[in-house]
Amino acid sequence: MSSIRPDTTRRSVPDEDFAVIETSDGSSTAFSTRFSQAYSSRHGARSQAETVFVRGTATDQHPSPRVLEVGFGLGHNFRATLGLRRPDAPLEYLAFELFPVPSEILGAITDNQDPLWKDTVQAWSAFGTESARAVSLHVSSHGRTLTVRHEDVSQTALPVNWASAIYLDGFSPRVNPELWTPEFCVQLALALASGGRLATYSAAGHVRRALVAAGLEVEKRSGLTGKREFLVARKP
Ligand SMILES: C[S@@+](CC[C@H](N)C(=O)[O-])C[C@H]1O[C@@H](n2cnc3c(N)ncnc32)[C@H](O)[C@@H]1O
């Protein structure tokens, strides 16, 4: 089941080129010319999604998680979430995306067979194209729902005390600074339910300090290829 709300407010954005890149674990990502950065780690897009975001927030173990994602991008984290959970296990997934990629790019980077993902790609053609911008996309199947809101997540009201998991997955703080400010981290901390976890691939000191200042208990973890560390922050 899917629905699209027609856009009345969005201006079109300039055309962008997307080069598809194969990463070290065999999964693909793309390069964004708008941000001059790849959407996922070149060391492994799928393994980053699984290790940092899904397992980092324990969403694979949660009986009925509510995931809030900052930057839906190519949907790697969403597919990894589906892939590490039973197909009949409930899931509420709310993502924000300011610059939806064209649906051909979503189709090109994956052949995932989960029916919910197939519905997403199909619905995306009315969501992710310049001529048919939509405000939100909603797909659902057997107790699993995905909502993607086409808006600037740093400027919107987030649900309060709602998320069991937050995937903080903007482009890097250097090129996408509004998603890493202390003020935005406070909004994210408010969106987490008690005991919920936020994960991010960045282990930068200023990100860690912003999460601590927002009242979260932050730990550095390892386990990614390329010997990189990442952060998991828990709301007490
Ligand atoms: C690193 S990519 C996300 C990759 C994605 N999570 C995945 O699993 O494929 C960052 C995403 O954040 C989006 N983005 C950047 N600034 C944003 C903003 N202010 N509000 C919402 N989305 C934003 C970008 O367009 C991009 O799709």
Side-chain angles (χ1 to χ4, degrees):
M1 198 178 76
S2 69
S3 65
I4 298 283
R5 285 199 292 135
D7 181 17
T8 49
T9 56
R10 292 282 160 219
R11 61 189 163 72
S12 70
V13 291
D15 278 343
E16 205 188 349
D17 287 332
F18 299 90
V20 174
I21 306 163
E22 185 164 340
T23 73
S24 303
D25 63 8
S27 60
S28 298
T29 186
F31 186 83
S32 161
T33 49
R34 185 193 310 277
F35 288 92
S36 298
Q37 222 162 70
Y39 278 79
S40 297
S41 165
R42 291 166 189 253
H43 294 289
R46 184 176 47 236
S47 30
Q48 174 181 270
E50 291 179 351
T51 305
V52 174
F53 295 103
V54 187
R55 295 201 166 99
T57 57
T59 298
D60 52 328
Q61 309 290 334
H62 198 291
S64 53
R66 287 173 161 176
V67 178
L68 190 160
E69 178 167 45
V70 175
F72 185 79
L74 305 175
H76 271 296
N77 298 339
F78 177 59
R79 289 190 303 281
T81 305
L82 296 180
L84 291 177
R85 296 178 53 75
R86 288 206 331 262
D88 58 347
L91 170 69
E92 273 184 81
Y93 199 106
L94 169 63
F96 290 83
E97 177 51 59
L98 187 52
F99 304 112
V101 299
S103 56
E104 310 84 68
I105 299 297
L106 282 193
I109 50 123
T110 177
D111 61 354
N112 189 292
Q113 295 303 309
D114 189 299
L116 194 56
W117 177 250
K118 287 173 139 184
D119 286 353
T120 304
V121 175
Q122 197 170 23
W124 200 272
S125 54
F127 179 66
T129 57
E130 292 301 318
S131 57
R133 291 266 169 206
V135 174
S136 67
L137 171 150
H138 188 75
V139 290
S140 65
S141 159
H142 299 101
R144 304 181 302 168
T145 66
L146 167 69
T147 302
V148 186
R149 281 169 47 184
H150 178 196
E151 57 186 306
D152 183 344
V153 64
S154 68
Q155 299 297 317
T156 197
L158 300 176
V160 174
N161 288 331
W162 180 83
S164 62
I166 294 182
Y167 301 169
L168 175 51
D169 196 15
F171 286 111
S172 75
R174 183 175 56 81
V175 298
N176 205 182
E178 76 271 20
L179 302 186
W180 307 92
T181 64
E183 295 75 20
F184 185 55
C185 287
V186 168
Q187 297 311 308
L188 294 176
L190 290 171
L192 271 180
S194 179
R197 291 183 173 86
L198 173 153
T200 183
Y201 67 87
S202 175
H206 69 93
V207 175
R208 188 182 57 76
R209 286 190 293 277
L211 294 171
V212 170
L216 304 179
E217 298 164 347
V218 184
E219 59 171 305
K220 256 189 199 171
R221 291 199 193 166
S222 50
L224 275 174
T225 47
K227 293 191 179 157
R228 287 161 312 120
E229 293 178 309
F230 60 97
L231 298 178
V232 174
R234 185 178 172 277
K235 185 163 176 173

